[in-house]
Every structure is written in structure tokens, then in C-alpha cells.
Amino acid sequence: MSLEAKDLYAALMHELKNNLGLLAMAMEQIPRQDSEAHDRPLDDARLLCQQVIERLRQSLLLYKAAERPLPIEIDAYSPHEFVQEMRDEAASLAHGRLQVSAAVDDGVPPIWFFDRNLVDIALTNAIHNSLAYARSRIEIRVGMAEERLCITVSDDSDGYPEHLLHAPGLDTPLGSGGTGLGLRLSQMIAQAHVNRGRTGELRLSNVPGAAFSILLP
Amino acid sequence: MALRFVSNNEHLIDYGSLRTLVVDDIPGMRSALKMTLANFGITRTDVASTAQEAIFRLGNGPYDLILADYNLGEARDGQQLLEELRHRGLITLQTVYVMVTAEAMYERVAATAELAPDDYLLKPFNGEVLRNRLEVIFQRKLAFSEAHRRFAEGDLEGAVAACDSLMRNKPRYLVDALRFKGELLNAMGRFEEGEALYRLVIEMRAVPWARLGLARVLHALGRAQEAEAILLDALAAAPEMMAAYDLLAEVRIARKDLVGAQQSLQEGAAISGKTVRRQQQLGELAYENGDLETARTAFQAALDKGRHSIFVSPADYGNLCRVQVEQGNLNGALDTLKKNKDSLQLAPEGQLVTAVIQSMVHSRSGQADLARRALDEAGRLRGEGVHGDGRLMLDLADSCMTQGRNEESDAIIGEVAKNAHDSEALLSKAREIYARCGRAADGEELLKKATADVRKLNNEGVYLAQKGDFDGAVSRLLTAAKEAPYNPRILMNAAWVLLRDADQNGLKEGGLQEAKRLLDEVERLAPGHSRLPGLRSQVREIEARYGISRRPHP
Ligand SMILES: Nc1ncnc2c1ncn2[C@@H]1O[C@H](COP(=O)(O)OP(=O)(O)O)[C@@H](O)[C@H]1O
Ligand SMILES: [Mg+2]
């Protein structure tokens, strides 16, 4: 692909993403009517819209990562505030159909250094997955593990397929059920976080139900 | 045991009372944002589609919250809008400014800018995210209100103390408090403490703003070489850090590496060429380095980008035309004048620029008549007290001498020399003019005489101040300032001695006002001069000490 054509593709993806954002905002203006027949398709449409937006964000990130290592912008954020934001976002998409909760473990420091935008992309993918697979509940929890900040999204689904548990993300062949793109990117995002020789990590487990953890040094 | 989430907010924000301005060039985005804000009770929302319109609206009254798109589809972007609003005093530290961007890259550009917005929202975002972010930002503003209030009152000590107390009592604001405190220490000239602070932050994590802050204090401490190494390191890790290119250029100028300085600004401008001041500085450096083509492009870009910016002055048109003339492109210079006729005719200084450039062009193309007419016009304006920057005045002197008007040219050059007794660039340009007209010896004598008085007054004033004879020092330096009213160095020394006098011997009638007037004048002549923040903070300290109240916002 020529350089110009590539830029054009990126610009197009941006435009799609932003227009879908406008569409999502417009849909938020449609009042709910407490009738399943009205609200259900509306909620589904909103979720779908967010999922497509998320896909475009992922594609843009992937496009960027093809040129050079993931550019990373570290700053200090409050894990409490961050997790609360993720919780509220998930709850607004779940619309009471699933119970969404969040928790902060003792010992989580008031600030941590990470790339908020990248970690947001990883966690949003996990939340969207859980919204699709969970039976009744989603929990977002932040704690400490091996001196790293550990943010976990867990649910009560059937859990990840066996092959993903052993080799999440990068090592999974594309096309083995779903795209696998979200988990792949999540692993790249985790690994792009490096501090004093320690690297971030993505961990998947079934506890039972799926648990997605991103560990940030 | 884990804590369930309970809201950890200490204060309720009254969204209904917030005056809000949404700045976006896309109508759909404006209305979507307005509706989304209304969903959580922010109903007093105005909209603007351009930076120009936003500035106009803010001129008519304050806002509590501004949501601005980074890409405004015109010359100015959301970051420049923020800088201009701060510069004009149209927003305070209490105003919440949130940048909306479509691309994470812009965040990286703006994150390290001198003036960081309160937060970024990456497009697209939903109402939930917006509500959350606003809640967090307003809680933070509340936590910092004491520090911000003290700062606005000029009580920098108090602001530092408020930061220290935040660090002790609200650890979640530790890094924000360190960042603000670093800026305060820098403004107060407490560079050693600033160095320790930034090293402490870097010990936690080498975030870009801390590296930049460290380089800035090292530069202020005269440790240019260390500063340069840190900046090069930081740029290798984050090449989008615009402020680092600007600072690197400053550091290299201090190291007398003008070619390196130009290169740094060129690299910065290649990534983001929109900043008027970066282009102006690049143009000046390139001109000084004899790289006329780069100078021309940069001066042209400064004018293109700064069409409505307060950072553009008539001198910028003069700079571009001068380069065009020196490149032999006389028609180009006339074209520039013609295209910008409206802006130039607006101010007397612009009229002077027009007349001077015309005189240069016509005398080079051998049209003595037209040249004479232009010089007459320039002379008339000068008679009315109109004045241009040093280079323009030397151009005028050059034209005069070429036309045989020696008396006029000597007077102008004398004036320039007085006002730039320490500028080797201008003095040597003056010598060149004399040499070209076969009057090298005359010139040498005139320059010596013109600079001698000012230099003597200045040196005596500084010496007497150090001896403790403030009456003598003040009178010498105020005389010097009257003799050389456009000389930033002299004006700053005069302000400095007035402030030291007030500091040690108490306030004297009109002394403080005079110091402030001098500093305002310096700001106009040499915007962003590195000595200004220190002197300004001395003014504030003295005002605070004597309980002189300032308007809530400058
Ligand atoms: N919460 C979950 N519960 C059960 N299975 C999941 C969950 N999240 C992800 N998966 C499985 O992992 C696969 C890969 O997920 P992901 O990388 O996000 O890509 P995609 O969402 O495109 O399928 C999914 O297709 C699904 O089979
Ligand atoms: Mg997915």
C-alpha cells in the first residue's frame, strides 16, 4: 500500500469511528420507556454501536503498531477513579440486565503510572466480551499482584476456551473462534508497559467464569 | 478485605450552575455535546465554532467549563486557543478546560505543552465517560482551590504551602501537586528546589513533563549542557514533545550553537508548524544564520498561521519582506505588502513597516523618486513618535544613507544603538551600513558615543545598587530607561532596582507602578524573556507583603 493510501485508510477509519460516536450520543438521547419491546432493541443497538467503535479503535491501534512499537504515554492516574469510570461505562451498557460491580483491594496506592488510553482499550474489550458471555454478573476489581497493579474483569460465563488459557493473545492463531484481536492487543498493551526492567502481563483464567487480568508494573 | 465502591467525593458539584462553552467546528458534535451535558444537568451551555468565536464569547463573560475540540479546522487548534486564553487572562486556573481529540497522538503533543488542559477526552466518548471525568476534574479543582487562589493573589509562598499540604493530606493528588509546585518554584526562581522536585518525580517515573521541567531548571541554573542531554534523551523517547524542541533551541542559543538551535526548531516545526512563536523564532534564527530560504518560509508560515493571533505584530511583515528583498525578490516583497495592506494600515507601526520596505525596494530598483516619497512618509511617521523594531529602524537608516540623507540616518542609528547597546547582531549590521556607504570611521565613532551614555548609566546604577545607594541607583537607571525606552535589558534593570529598593527600604511613591509599567513594556518588546517571570514574582511578593490587592485576575 502506498503511503498516501495508508493515510487515507487511517483517516477513513477515524471518520467512521467519530461518526459512530455521534450516532451513539444521539442514541443516548432516545428516552427509555420501561417496555421490553422498546428498550431491548435500543439497548442492543447501543451496545452494537459501542462494539463497532471499539473495533475501529482496535484497528487504528493495530495500524499504528504495524509501523513501530506501540507509542506509549505514561502519566499518573488514580486507580480508584479509573476503575470507577470503567464500571460506570459497563453499567450504562448493561442497563441492569447484568449486575456490574467494582472493588478496590486494600493496599492499592492512590496513584499509579500507566497509559490510560491503552489500558482503557484493553479493559473495554474485556468488558464487551463479558457483556456478551456473562450470565448474570461482571466484576471489575483492582488490586496488587507481585508489586504490579492488577486490574481484573471477571464474569460468570462458561469461561475461556481451553486453548486460550494456555496461550492468550499473540500466540493464538487468528480465526480460532472470534477474531482474537482484542486479546492480542491486550497482550501487546500489557507488554508495552515497562518499568525498571519489569514488564506488564496479560493473564486469563477460569475461576470459574472468565477472568481477564492486566498487570502493570 | 476489599472496599466496596462508595463515592469518595467530598463535595457535591452543582452542575446546574456551571456556565459552559463548547468549541467545535462540526455542528453535529456541538449539538451532541450540548445535549449530553444537559443529560446530567449542565444546561447553561453556549457553543462556538471557531477559536475566534470562543475568544469573543469569553470576552463577554467568564465560563466555568470549556470543552474544546483540538482540531478546529482553521489555523488555530484547541491547544493554541488554550494558550491564547491564558495569555489574555480570559480564563483562570479555576476554569476547567477539557480538550477533545480524535487521535491519541494529539494527546501526546499537548500533554507536554507548557499549558496542559485539565484533561483529554478521546473521541468518541460517551456521556458516562464525560460525566465521570468532569466529576474527577471538579473534585481536583476543589482540592486545589486554595493553591490556585493564593497564586492568583500573587502569594506564591502560600501556593507552595498549599501544595505541600495537599501532598501530605491527599495522596491521590501527590503528582498533580508536585507538578504545580514545580511550576511555582520555577516562577519564583527557586531552581535548586525545582531540580530536587523534578528528580524526585523522575525517581517515581520518568514522565515527560518532569524531564522537561528538570531541563528547564537546569537551563536556568546555567547548566545548559546537562539540560541539552536530558532533552535529547526525552525526545528520543517521545519525539512528539513539542515544548522540548523549543526549550532545546533556547538551551542551544545559550550555548552559542545557533545552527543547532535552528535545527531543533525546524524539527519541531516539521511535526507541528502551527505555533506562531515557533515559526517566528525559527525565522529569526535562520535569518541570523544566513539561511534566507528557511527564514522566508518560517516568517511566511508565522503570518499564515497567525492571521488572527495576538502573537503577530507589524514587525512580522517587516521580517518577511526584509528576507524577500535580500533574496532579490523585490516584487515578492511588494506583493507581501499589497496582500496585507489592510492589517498594515490599521496600526501606525504597520504604516511605518510599509514605508520602510517600499523605500528599500525602490532604492534597490533604482526608482529614486518613489524611494524618496516612501522615506518622506517614514520620516513623517517617525516625527509623530512611531517606532519599529531594531531591524526595521536599521533598514530605514540604510535607505536614508543610500539616498544621501546622512543626518536622518545617523539619528536613527544612534537611537537603535542606545536601545540595543548589548545586541552584537544589530550593532554589526549598523557598522555594515556605514562601511557600505564609505563612512566606516564615522559609524564607529557614532556607535561608540551612542552606546557609551547608556552603558555608563547602566553600569553605575547596578554598581550603586550593590553598594546600597538606592537613590543614586534608581536615578541612574530611570534616566537610562528614558534615554533607551526600547531597551529590554535597561528596562529590566530599572525595574529590578526599583523592586530591590522597595524590598529593602519600603515602598516609595509610584515606584511599584513604574516597575510594573517597565515590565509590561519589556513583555511587549521581548515577549517571554527569561528574566520576566522572576521579576514579576518579585512584584507579587512585594504587593502581598504590603497588602496591595490585585484584581482577582490579571
Ligand atoms: N468473558 C468471556 N467468556 C467466555 N469466553 C470469552 C470471554 N472473553 C473472550 N472469550 C473468548 O475469547 C475469544 C477471543 O476474544 P477477543 O480476543 O476479545 O476477540 P473477539 O471478541 O473478536 O472474539 C472470543 O471469541 C471468545 O471465544
Ligand atoms: Mg472482544
Side-chain angles (χ1 to χ4, degrees):
Chain A
M1 226 188 304
S2 75
L3 204 70
E4 261 174 43
K6 278 170 98 177
D7 284 344
L8 210 62
Y9 274 104
L12 274 171
M13 280 199 276
H14 268 300
E15 200 200 63
L16 283 173
K17 179 187 67 145
N18 293 332
N19 283 338
L20 277 169
L22 283 177
L23 178 62
M25 280 173 135
M27 278 196 287
E28 278 178 41
Q29 301 301 323
I30 303 175
R32 295 166 62 81
Q33 293 179 351
D34 282 327
S35 103
E36 184 72 2
H38 175 273
D39 292 353
R40 187 78 198 206
L42 185 60
D43 291 347
D44 288 349
R46 286 185 55 195
L47 180 58
L48 186 60
C49 191
Q50 290 297 337
Q51 282 168 340
V52 180
I53 288 172
E54 225 28 57
R55 267 290 184 254
L56 287 167
R57 277 176 86 194
Q58 292 173 0
S59 320
L60 277 163
L61 192 62
L62 210 62
Y63 166 88
K64 241 191 282 181
E67 309 271 296
R68 54 172 180 163
L70 264 190
I72 183 157
E73 172 71 20
I74 302 285
D75 213 333
Y77 301 99
S78 150
H80 305 66
E81 286 166 1
F82 183 67
V83 164
Q84 181 158 12
E85 181 178 317
M86 299 309 303
R87 194 268 319 258
D88 288 357
E89 226 182 310
S92 87
L93 288 174
H95 266 308
R97 298 184 203 290
L98 295 167
Q99 184 210 329
V100 182
S101 63
V104 180
D105 286 348
D106 286 344
V108 170
I111 46 176
W112 200 258
F113 289 89
F114 56 94
D115 185 319
R116 180 177 63 179
N117 178 43
L118 290 183
V119 178
D120 181 304
I121 289 179
L123 289 180
T124 303
N125 176 63
I127 288 170
H128 284 180
N129 285 345
S130 287
L131 285 168
Y133 297 105
R135 290 199 179 83
S136 64
R137 55 160 204 90
I138 302 175
E139 187 191 56
I140 307 164
R141 174 180 286 261
V142 58
M144 294 300 293
E146 299 148 35
E147 289 172 54
R148 291 177 289 187
L149 188 76
C150 174
I151 311 178
T152 301
V153 177
S154 58
D155 60 38
D156 56 355
S157 68
D158 289 338
Y160 293 106
E162 194 66 17
H163 70 276
L164 279 181
L165 291 177
H166 303 302
L170 289 182
D171 314 320
T172 319
L174 277 175
S176 49
T179 64
L181 179 60
L183 292 176
R184 238 165 222 272
L185 270 178
S186 299
Q187 189 174 38
M188 284 169 65
I189 287 167
Q191 288 173 350
H193 284 80
V194 178
N195 185 23
R196 288 178 215 282
R198 296 153 58 81
T199 310
E201 194 185 330
L202 172 70
R203 285 186 189 166
L204 303 179
S205 58
N206 292 332
V207 280
F212 166 107
S213 297
I214 187 163
L215 285 83
L216 305 168
Chain B
M1 192 205 69
L3 293 166
R4 282 289 127 186
F5 247 113
V6 280
S7 170
N8 48 5
N9 297 331
E10 290 137 64
H11 304 273
L12 276 177
I13 311 291
D14 175 13
Y15 284 117
S17 71
L18 295 178
R19 290 208 49 190
T20 303
L21 181 64
V22 169
V23 192
D24 202 306
D25 59 326
I26 300 168
M29 196 63 200
R30 287 199 294 276
S31 51
L33 274 172
K34 196 173 160 156
M35 278 193 291
T36 303
L37 289 167
N39 280 355
F40 39 93
I42 300 183
T43 48
R44 302 174 64 192
T45 304
D46 293 331
V47 295
S49 55
T50 62
Q52 180 91 331
E53 199 184 333
I55 289 166
F56 172 77
R57 289 208 167 263
L58 275 142
N60 286 339
Y63 287 90
D64 305 299
L65 165 65
I66 299 171
L67 280 176
D69 196 39
Y70 179 83
N71 186 352
L72 292 173
E74 52 160 339
R76 258 175 307 185
D77 59 38
Q79 177 64 28
Q80 286 165 292
L81 175 61
L82 171 62
E83 279 163 22
E84 193 158 335
L85 291 175
R86 274 280 158 72
H87 192 88
R88 294 192 188 202
L90 287 174
I91 57 175
T92 71
L93 283 175
Q94 287 292 32
T95 317
V96 171
Y97 193 100
V98 177
M99 191 89 74
V100 180
T101 77
E103 235 259 83
M105 212 281 275
Y106 293 132
E107 178 172 6
R108 298 160 59 76
V109 169
T112 48
E114 224 105 328
L115 280 170
D118 289 291
D119 206 349
Y120 311 85
L121 281 172
L122 281 179
K123 272 200 237 172
F125 50 85
N126 55 38
E128 217 49 59
V129 173
L130 180 57
R131 195 186 52 74
N132 256 300
R133 291 282 171 86
L134 289 181
E135 185 68 28
V136 167
I137 295 166
F138 278 106
Q139 293 297 339
R140 187 171 55 217
K141 283 281 181 199
L142 276 172
F144 276 85
S145 59
E146 163 88 357
H148 288 164
R149 186 175 56 77
R150 300 268 181 169
F151 177 80
E153 286 166 359
D155 176 11
L156 301 198
E157 293 287 348
V160 167
C163 285
D164 287 336
S165 140
L166 273 175
M167 288 179 214
R168 276 192 309 273
N169 303 321
K170 301 237 171 92
R172 76 164 140 157
Y173 296 128
L174 172 70
V175 173
D176 298 296
L178 282 167
R179 187 170 184 170
F180 189 45
K181 183 179 172 182
E183 282 163 26
L184 291 169
L185 292 175
N186 198 18
M188 296 198 293
R190 281 157 63 174
F191 302 120
E192 277 95 356
E193 285 168 78
E195 179 185 356
L197 180 147
Y198 287 120
R199 290 202 189 278
L200 181 82
V201 176
I202 291 169
E203 182 68 22
M204 284 192 263
R205 200 65 163 248
V207 284
W209 60 261
R211 288 178 162 198
L212 198 66
L214 179 59
R216 181 162 289 118
V217 295
L218 290 175
H219 173 48
L221 287 166
R223 287 149 67 186
Q225 196 168 347
E226 283 170 79
E228 177 162 357
I230 287 170
L231 288 169
L232 288 174
D233 238 25
L235 280 171
E240 300 88 351
M241 240 169 108
M242 296 319 304
Y245 293 99
D246 300 338
L247 184 57
L248 181 57
E250 263 181 60
V251 168
R252 283 178 170 165
I253 290 172
R255 301 190 69 188
K256 306 245 181 305
D257 173 14
L258 295 191
V259 174
Q262 178 186 334
Q263 193 190 335
S264 174
L265 287 181
Q266 249 169 311
E267 282 168 24
I271 295 172
S272 169
K274 279 186 170 181
T275 310
V276 174
R277 291 219 249 195
R278 185 172 304 128
Q279 297 286 4
Q280 287 167 331
Q281 240 204 331
L282 174 56
E284 269 158 41
L285 273 168
Y287 182 77
E288 209 127 305
N289 289 333
D291 181 354
L292 290 182
E293 190 46 30
T294 303
R296 190 191 60 79
T297 339
F299 284 136
Q300 182 72 62
L303 290 178
D304 291 345
K305 309 302 173 200
R307 205 143 293 276
H308 306 288
S309 163
I310 46 165
F311 300 120
V312 165
S313 73
D316 291 293
Y317 298 99
N319 286 338
L320 174 57
C321 291
R322 175 175 313 110
V323 175
Q324 289 175 307
V325 168
E326 287 185 27
Q327 284 184 315
N329 183 5
L330 301 182
N331 285 330
L334 288 180
D335 225 40
T336 300
L337 291 182
K338 198 152 60 185
K339 263 195 248 149
N340 299 291
K341 195 168 167 213
D342 291 344
S343 327
L344 285 166
Q345 290 306 313
L346 230 54
E349 198 193 330
Q351 296 168 15
L352 184 64
V353 167
T354 307
V356 172
I357 300 296
Q358 280 173 343
S359 77
M360 276 166 78
V361 169
H362 296 319
S363 78
R364 292 210 182 198
S365 63
Q367 292 174 278
D369 237 28
L370 288 175
R372 187 158 8 88
R373 230 185 294 155
L375 280 183
D376 288 344
E377 167 71 359
R380 184 186 67 79
L381 287 163
R382 220 167 67 79
E384 287 173 7
V386 182
H387 189 270
D389 64 287
R391 285 201 195 280
L392 188 82
M393 297 314 276
L394 285 184
D395 288 341
L396 176 56
D398 193 349
S399 287
C400 285
M401 217 182 288
T402 313
Q403 298 293 324
R405 302 185 179 197
N406 285 357
E407 214 171 296
E408 224 173 318
S409 71
D410 288 355
I412 296 167
I413 290 179
E415 214 174 88
V416 171
K418 266 190 215 169
N419 284 299
H421 74 285
D422 56 347
S423 160
E424 214 19 72
L426 288 178
L427 294 179
S428 69
K429 172 95 194 210
R431 276 186 209 103
E432 239 173 67
I433 296 173
Y434 278 110
R436 194 159 4 91
C437 295
R439 301 177 59 211
D442 286 359
E444 210 47 61
E445 194 183 332
L446 183 135
L447 290 175
K448 216 158 81 195
K449 241 177 58 202
T451 51
D453 281 350
V454 171
R455 187 169 285 131
K456 183 158 169 276
L457 284 167
N458 180 54
N459 291 349
E460 282 178 7
V462 173
Y463 174 76
L464 290 174
Q466 271 151 4
K467 288 246 137 186
D469 174 3
F470 281 100
D471 290 340
V474 167
S475 105
R476 297 287 194 299
L477 283 165
L478 285 183
T479 311
K482 211 168 282 152
E483 282 285 301
Y486 309 110
N487 190 322
R489 167 76 114 18
I490 298 288
L491 302 194
M492 280 187 289
N493 283 347
W496 168 78
V497 78
L498 285 167
L499 292 171
R500 271 202 58 179
D501 190 17
D503 179 50
Q504 305 198 349
N505 309 315
L507 286 182
K508 305 226 169 87
E509 179 70 37
L512 200 56
Q513 277 84 330
E514 180 63 8
K516 281 161 75 171
R517 190 194 64 77
L518 290 165
L519 294 179
D520 286 345
E521 188 59 19
V522 174
E523 177 75 57
R524 208 179 58 76
L525 294 165
H529 192 287
S530 60
R531 263 181 84 190
L532 274 173
L535 288 166
R536 290 246 192 242
S537 87
Q538 284 178 37
V539 170
R540 284 194 294 261
E541 262 170 52
I542 289 169
E543 283 181 330
R545 193 182 325 153
Y546 294 102
I548 298 170
S549 67
R550 294 156 58 83
R551 277 176 293 131
H553 209 74

